[in-house]
Amino acid sequence: MKTEDVIFKGTGHGIWIILPYDEDFVRLKNKLVAKLEGTNGFFAGATRGILDIGELNLEEDDIRELVGIIESFGISVSRVAGGIEDSFPAIAGERGRKGIFREVGGKLSGRRGPIRKKRQPSIPKGEAMLVGRTLRSGQRITGPENVVLLGDINPGAEVVAGGNIIVVGSLRGVAHAGVPNNLNAVVVALKFMPTQLRIADLIARPPDDEHKVPGSPEVARVKNGRIVIEAYSGWKPELEEEPT
Amino acid sequence: MSGKVMVVTSGKGGVGKTTAAANIGCALAVRGKKVALVDADIGLRNLDIVLGLENRIVFDIIHAMEGRCRLRQALIRDKRVQTLFLLPAAQSKDKDAIQPEQMKGLTSELADDFDYVILDCPAGIERGFKNAIAGAGTALIITTPEVSAVRDADRIVGLLEAEGIEKPKLVINRLRPDMVKRGDMLDIEDVIDILAIDLVGVVPDDEAVITSTNRGEPVVLNGASRAGEAFRRIAARIEGEDVPFLSMEIPSFWVRIKRFLGAGK
């Protein structure tokens, strides 16, 4: 993604500070300072700043200088993302925080999103959107985090969620959980007969010759890089630990 | 290579546009032609269901037009016929989501790669119709032997002429020979008399069409179906072959008994 200006994005994982593609480092610094001044200290005190250098090819010292600028405005940088080089020495990590890692674009969208994370062995909790109706053909709802639907998803309807999708009813349409790249997201439905199922950038569809009507609730999740559907009974969610 | 861009249209709804588009496209592909079926009925897509490809849709025509994916990514290869492709419509949008100019660009891009680009037009004469015919070089008019359907077809012929699409071809769908014989239905001559365009096929009313639609298997792949045979002959005529019309005679009592017993097919 190549932009003109520095972009701030608040996500559940922290504040992303996305740098534009600018080969002139001085101009880049000025843009960053101007943007930070424009926030009037709004983000001061934030502890989870993430500096996304995108496709910029920066020296270690340059990154350190940029991190210094951001921190002088009261935002502490926990991570640096992006970059051309495969391995950076830990810069933010020097201050006892997480090191730098490289993030990879998804297969489905091909876009660079600000909430790319490495796989963690837990299901994210957080906000849930509650929808109390049946989704009919052509209707589509999207939720930034979890979506709980008290009703059916008919063929031709679609639910897209950043986190998990729970359908208290029949899932006959398309469910897309974990957008854009949360492979820990799950889809649960009382009657599981989706047209198509997507988790992060994986896509699955039922076999063409199978027309079974499920008797009991089922759950779909990613196992060894593939979407698998299992009986809900006997499945234990591994939820994220409570924040302390 | 520059293929033929053909719109399947009728004016009236429910006369079998989608069924005809799917089956004629499929029959042409079986003959070895490379065929792209384009569902222009945005918001009320059906062609994917008739072809049994609904669960393969990831990108649709709107994604392709907005540049959110490449055209090739939105094309779904048929699961039975290797040279048949579907460009599905979007379900959560409406007809205003595209412009006739965009459709022109899309069909000409497809025509570079395919022998036939067949557009399934929505019912009506509004925006959706105008979009669907924008890039078409020829038209196939579907009608049933009913006064109302023929009237709408006549209106469509006039509108197509105004858009510079001359000499559309006619398909009479869902003919019931027994009713024609009793004089309860318009016969082929009556329809041609009014519309005065070239007849390219007559498709008998056939229950197999309903079952094949529900199963997502085009009826042309069913060797026993008379409607399937009629669609195969239409494909042959579109290819320029001179094939006789399917006999609309009612099979004799004994033939029907045999058919009922599953033998005389």
Side-chain angles (χ1 to χ4, degrees):
Chain A
M1 190 168 64
K2 288 178 185 178
T3 50
E4 283 292 298
D5 288 310
V6 178
I7 295 169
F8 275 65
K9 260 189 192 167
T11 71
H13 307 283
I15 299 156
W16 281 73
I17 300 153
I18 304 165
L19 296 185
Y21 189 80
D22 196 331
E23 282 176 355
D24 184 350
F25 185 67
V26 177
R27 199 162 54 204
L28 187 72
K29 264 198 315 193
N30 289 340
K31 280 182 184 173
L32 179 63
V33 171
K35 184 75 181 187
L36 283 162
E37 280 171 348
T39 62
N40 291 322
F42 182 76
F43 295 111
T47 54
R48 287 191 296 171
I50 300 149
L51 175 64
D52 187 346
I53 60 173
E55 289 164 28
L56 287 165
N57 193 4
L58 296 177
E59 296 294 322
E60 203 187 312
D61 284 346
D62 294 343
I63 297 174
R64 199 167 276 129
E65 194 176 342
L66 294 171
V67 169
I69 292 170
I70 295 165
E71 301 214 320
S72 71
F73 282 85
I75 304 167
S76 55
V77 177
S78 63
R79 231 161 77 201
V80 181
I84 302 288
E85 297 293 322
D86 265 329
S87 56
F88 283 115
I91 292 170
E94 282 174 353
R95 281 173 283 268
R97 299 190 201 98
K98 276 184 206 161
I100 299 164
F101 62 84
R102 190 173 155 76
E103 319 229 336
V104 187
K107 276 174 248 162
L108 187 64
S109 65
R111 282 180 293 121
R112 285 179 52 84
I115 49 171
R116 298 255 144 88
K117 279 180 81 178
K118 272 202 171 169
R119 190 177 173 149
Q120 293 175 348
S122 60
I123 296 167
K125 293 198 288 191
E127 298 290 311
M129 188 167 107
L130 201 60
V131 183
R133 65 188 171 98
T134 287
L135 286 191
R136 299 186 182 278
S137 186
Q139 295 177 332
R140 185 173 190 267
I141 57 163
T142 50
E145 295 199 35
N146 304 305
V147 174
V148 179
L149 193 122
L150 306 171
D152 298 341
I153 301 174
N154 282 354
E158 195 178 351
V159 176
V160 180
N164 309 297
I165 297 172
I166 316 289
V167 184
V168 187
S170 301
L171 169 56
R172 296 192 185 89
V174 176
H176 191 174
V179 175
N181 68 342
N182 183 353
L183 290 167
N184 298 310
V186 299
V187 180
V188 178
L190 293 188
K191 281 194 174 172
F192 214 98
M193 359 176 215
T195 305
Q196 204 184 77
L197 204 59
R198 306 179 195 160
I199 295 177
D201 55 0
L202 300 172
I203 302 176
R205 60 173 171 79
D208 287 318
D209 46 6
E210 193 182 281
H211 297 288
K212 55 136 200 171
V213 178
S216 55
E218 286 171 303
V219 56
R221 63 190 178 102
V222 177
K223 216 175 176 179
N224 301 326
R226 296 185 63 185
I227 297 176
V228 293
I229 298 166
E230 298 164 327
Y232 181 71
S233 58
W235 176 72
K236 283 262 190 310
E238 299 161 32
L239 294 178
E240 209 172 50
E241 278 171 34
E242 294 286 343
T244 46
Chain B
M1 171 164 77
S2 188
K4 241 181 172 177
V5 182
M6 187 165 72
V7 60
V8 177
T9 180
S10 70
K12 191 176 179 300
V15 299
K17 283 179 299 295
T18 302
T19 309
N23 281 290
I24 294 167
C26 189
L28 286 165
V30 167
R31 297 171 64 90
K33 296 293 170 192
K34 208 173 165 203
V35 179
L37 283 167
V38 180
D39 193 345
D41 202 347
I42 293 154
L44 289 169
R45 74 175 177 211
N46 277 160
L47 195 51
D48 55 317
I49 300 170
V50 174
L51 291 166
L53 299 175
E54 186 186 15
N55 60 11
R56 287 163 167 78
I57 298 174
V58 176
F59 296 115
D60 57 44
I61 189 169
I62 302 288
H63 292 133
M65 278 186 176
E66 288 176 349
R68 289 166 63 186
C69 69
R70 289 187 306 275
L71 187 52
R72 272 185 48 204
Q73 287 177 298
L75 285 165
I76 301 166
R77 187 192 288 269
D78 187 76
K79 53 189 173 189
R80 299 143 298 224
V81 188
Q82 291 294 300
T83 53
L84 182 64
F85 291 80
L86 168 71
L87 181 59
Q91 183 71 342
S92 52
K93 298 277 168 57
D94 63 27
K95 312 295 192 252
D96 296 331
I98 54 172
Q99 305 282 339
E101 282 306 314
Q102 289 177 299
M103 198 61 150
K104 250 184 207 170
L106 184 116
T107 47
S108 75
E109 197 180 332
L110 285 171
D112 288 340
D113 279 339
F114 290 88
D115 297 311
Y116 289 95
V117 178
I118 299 175
L119 295 134
D120 180 24
C121 178
I125 53 171
E126 297 81 16
R127 180 68 172 270
F129 169 74
K130 293 195 171 99
N131 284 336
I133 65 166
T138 58
L140 205 59
I141 311 252
I142 313 293
T143 188
T144 55
E146 291 164 86
V147 178
S148 55
V150 173
R151 183 71 49 87
D152 290 359
D154 194 44
R155 175 103 172 91
I156 292 292
V157 175
L159 290 170
L160 288 172
E161 275 170 5
E163 290 292 326
I165 302 173
E166 303 279 345
K167 297 204 171 144
K169 299 267 194 287
L170 178 69
V171 172
I172 300 176
N173 195 16
R174 229 176 273 160
L175 190 88
R176 291 181 58 176
D178 53 332
M179 285 184 72
V180 174
K181 217 166 197 176
R182 291 200 303 268
D184 292 336
M185 188 178 248
L186 293 175
D187 73 6
I188 299 167
E189 297 306 318
D190 298 334
V191 178
I192 295 174
D193 198 38
I194 297 166
L195 296 177
I197 55 174
D198 286 347
L199 184 69
V200 77
V202 181
V203 183
D205 196 32
D206 186 348
E207 286 180 5
V209 173
I210 297 169
T211 46
S212 81
T213 300
N214 289 342
R215 286 197 192 133
E217 294 163 1
V219 77
V220 286
L221 300 176
N222 173 356
S225 158
R226 282 173 61 75
E229 175 58 26
F231 282 122
R232 284 192 291 274
R233 292 190 189 197
I234 291 169
R237 283 186 208 107
I238 287 170
E239 288 259 81
E241 271 178 44
D242 193 12
V243 287
F245 280 87
L246 190 66
S247 163
M248 287 295 142
E249 281 302 304
I250 312 156
S252 73
F253 177 71
W254 286 112
V255 172
R256 274 189 288 161
I257 290 286
K258 273 191 205 160
R259 231 180 240 169
F260 179 73
L261 296 170
K265 287 178 178 176

